[in-house]
Amino acid sequence: MKFIDLALQQARIRPNIEKRILGVLDHGHYVLGPEIEELESRLSQYVGVSHALACASGTDALLMALMAYEIGPGDAVFTTPFSFFATAEVISLLGATPVFVDIEESSFNIDPVLLEAAIRDVANDERTHPVYRYLTADETLAPKAVIAVDLFGLPADYLAISNIAQKYNLAVVEDAAQSFGAELNGQKACALADIACTSFYPAKPLGCYGDGGMCFTNDDRMAEIMRSIRIHGMGDHQYDNIRVGINGRLDTIQAAVLLSKFEIFPEEVVLRNTAANRYETLIGSLSSLKLPKVPEGAQSAWAQYSLLAQNQSQRERLRSRLNKENIPTAIYYPKPLHLQKAFTPLGYREGDFPVSESCAGRIFSLPMHPYITAQEQEKVAGALNSSFAECPPL
Ligand SMILES: *Cc1c(COP(=O)(O)O)cnc(C)c1O
């Protein structure tokens, strides 16, 4: 059993992928070839926003969004400590300060109540947030933006987040690296904030065969700025540079792969949801496991199917039982971002974000992809059940 089975998907559409890649070899426009525009137009239509910009990775997509808002030293960007490192890395890379805000255990996404408290704290210079440990008494931060993450494919609570951001005049960036294909209140993920950023890393819901990403926005001006940033801050032509940017283009061959995979993507989202519902039916009665819950009005893209054990030792027992039956599992994420060595200069400590820390010690993910079979899921459920039978929870 595979944790994510990309080979089954490829077997289904291999001739089409080959045809698309050969098309690039034939026309020879390896950088910004016609497949890039075709992909941007297909995906912006699917998401329902006016601009899509293909770029080299999900990390670059986030970086380009923050650069477009001219985020830099002295700026506070609010985000979750329970995410992949890149979410906060781009904030530090620009010299700005990641101000972490704890998550809701029910969604693993940023807690809007705590978000407002943190923004108010920084905006009014109340200096109670742990981030003030690293600032000297005369240093202040200017609240600029929020990066909300749609963790494991489930959109964050953008209704609440946008309301708060509007009140304090902050930009909202959606880290949709894991949620392409998800929905919230009739809108697609990547259409839920001022700028949204997704990733086409192979294991993401829509993945290419290398690195890739995309920015989405309805804001004409931001789209134009990000288009310029993507090519070294280009102005009227390639050798006219009007700002400092990056080399953030997507390869044409990766766009060709994505165009081919996108043809079956909507169907794959349905298959992922079928698989998630089947897990719910099979293991929903195991009361000592907390299963992922999709709130009213939302649909997850199920990048991961992640559950919470009661404690770390129970989690390790369950994982080793699954492992014995050749069922792969993974832990996303074993260490919250505020406790990463790279961020020690920010002065965060254990205990600062207790929900994230507790989740990091109890969470694990089960095999999840569009082509997982009912038999495979029954085997997973059987292994979990027998582990509980051997060692019943308290
Ligand atoms: C994967 C991921 C990224 C980074 O995307 P890359 O394409 O790997 O650069 C950023 N944020 C989250 C939440 C991710 O899962």
Side-chain angles (χ1 to χ4, degrees):
M1 191 181 316
K2 291 254 174 60
F3 188 67
I4 294 178
D5 198 329
L6 294 172
L8 288 173
Q9 179 198 50
Q10 188 186 93
R12 226 188 122 184
I13 54 169
R14 173 106 183 195
N16 193 271
I17 294 174
E18 286 181 1
K19 197 178 102 212
R20 281 281 191 178
I21 292 177
L22 288 175
V24 179
L25 298 188
D26 286 341
H27 69 56
H29 297 285
Y30 307 121
V31 170
L32 295 183
E35 285 81 3
I36 297 289
E37 250 184 72
E38 186 182 349
L39 180 71
E40 291 177 341
S41 136
R42 288 264 164 91
L43 298 199
S44 64
Q45 233 169 46
Y46 173 77
V47 165
V49 300
S50 35
H51 306 280
L53 277 102
C55 62
S57 68
T59 307
D60 274 359
L62 290 165
L63 187 63
M64 284 162 47
L66 294 191
M67 286 173 82
Y69 286 116
E70 299 181 19
I71 303 285
D75 293 339
V77 179
F78 300 83
T79 195
T80 162
F82 201 60
S83 181
F84 180 61
F85 188 63
T87 307
E89 183 181 34
V90 290
I91 302 169
S92 284
L93 197 55
L94 293 173
T97 300
V99 179
F100 290 118
V101 175
D102 213 350
I103 57 168
E104 297 178 311
E105 190 181 285
S106 57
S107 65
F108 304 120
N109 287 330
I110 197 165
D111 184 329
V113 174
L114 299 177
L115 173 65
E116 178 153 26
I119 297 173
R120 205 187 311 117
D121 189 331
V122 174
N124 301 339
D125 208 29
E126 289 165 16
R127 308 184 82 86
T128 59
H129 190 279
V131 74
Y132 282 100
R133 262 184 231 129
Y134 109 105
L135 297 170
T136 59
D138 57 344
E139 277 178 314
T140 58
L141 290 174
K144 282 286 168 68
V146 179
I147 304 179
V149 179
D150 305 339
L151 205 71
F152 307 138
L154 179 69
D157 183 356
Y158 289 95
L159 196 60
I161 294 165
S162 306
N163 276 333
I164 298 160
Q166 216 157 38
K167 214 154 106 185
Y168 294 89
N169 199 24
L170 306 190
V172 181
V173 174
E174 177 185 0
D175 181 343
Q178 302 180 7
S179 63
F180 192 76
E183 286 181 29
L184 184 65
N185 302 325
Q187 278 186 303
K188 285 266 194 285
C190 293
L192 303 172
D194 299 315
I195 297 177
C197 305
T198 198
S199 165
F200 302 130
Y201 181 79
K204 307 286 165 130
L206 179 62
C208 56
Y209 289 150
D211 280 304
M214 195 168 271
C215 295
F216 297 87
T217 186
N218 279 316
D219 186 323
D220 298 344
R221 199 175 68 90
M222 282 298 139
E224 193 191 319
I225 295 172
M226 288 192 292
R227 240 172 244 292
S228 161
I229 289 171
R230 178 173 65 174
I231 311 181
H232 302 289
M234 176 176 126
D236 286 339
H237 58 87
Q238 206 181 343
Y239 301 107
D240 177 34
N241 307 93
I242 57 174
R243 58 172 61 80
V244 170
I246 62 174
N247 177 358
R249 294 172 299 230
L250 178 71
D251 294 344
T252 310
I253 285 183
Q254 297 302 344
V257 170
L258 287 163
L259 280 166
S260 173
K261 287 202 186 190
F262 182 63
E263 287 180 27
I264 56 165
F265 179 74
E267 185 195 333
E268 289 186 338
V269 175
V270 174
L271 290 171
R272 284 174 188 274
N273 275 281
T274 305
N277 291 338
R278 197 180 291 124
Y279 269 139
E280 172 83 36
T281 308
L282 288 168
I283 56 178
S285 59
L286 296 173
S287 59
S288 63
L289 285 178
K290 207 165 158 199
L291 268 49
K293 206 172 76 227
V294 176
E296 188 73 32
Q299 186 189 297
S300 179
W302 297 108
Q304 302 295 341
Y305 192 89
S306 306
L307 9 118
L308 287 172
Q310 282 178 326
N311 52 49
Q312 191 158 356
S313 61
Q314 188 192 58
R315 173 179 75 184
E316 296 322 316
R317 207 162 51 237
L318 291 168
R319 288 187 72 214
S320 69
R321 174 72 200 212
L322 291 167
N323 186 47
K324 236 189 339 202
E325 302 197 20
N326 291 318
I327 299 167
T329 58
I331 297 179
Y332 302 112
Y333 294 92
K335 192 192 278 189
L337 301 183
H338 66 288
L339 301 177
Q340 295 288 351
K341 182 174 178 211
F343 285 138
T344 43
L346 293 177
Y348 290 110
R349 290 179 197 150
E350 202 163 335
D352 282 346
F353 306 104
V355 183
S356 297
E357 290 166 22
S358 159
C359 287
R362 296 186 290 140
I363 203 163
F364 66 110
S365 304
L366 299 178
M368 165 57 83
H369 58 87
Y371 306 104
I372 192 167
T373 63
Q375 289 87 328
E376 286 173 318
Q377 292 189 277
E378 281 155 18
K379 185 175 169 189
V380 173
L384 288 171
N385 264 310
S386 40
S387 177
F388 281 123
E390 285 159 14
C391 185
L394 300 175

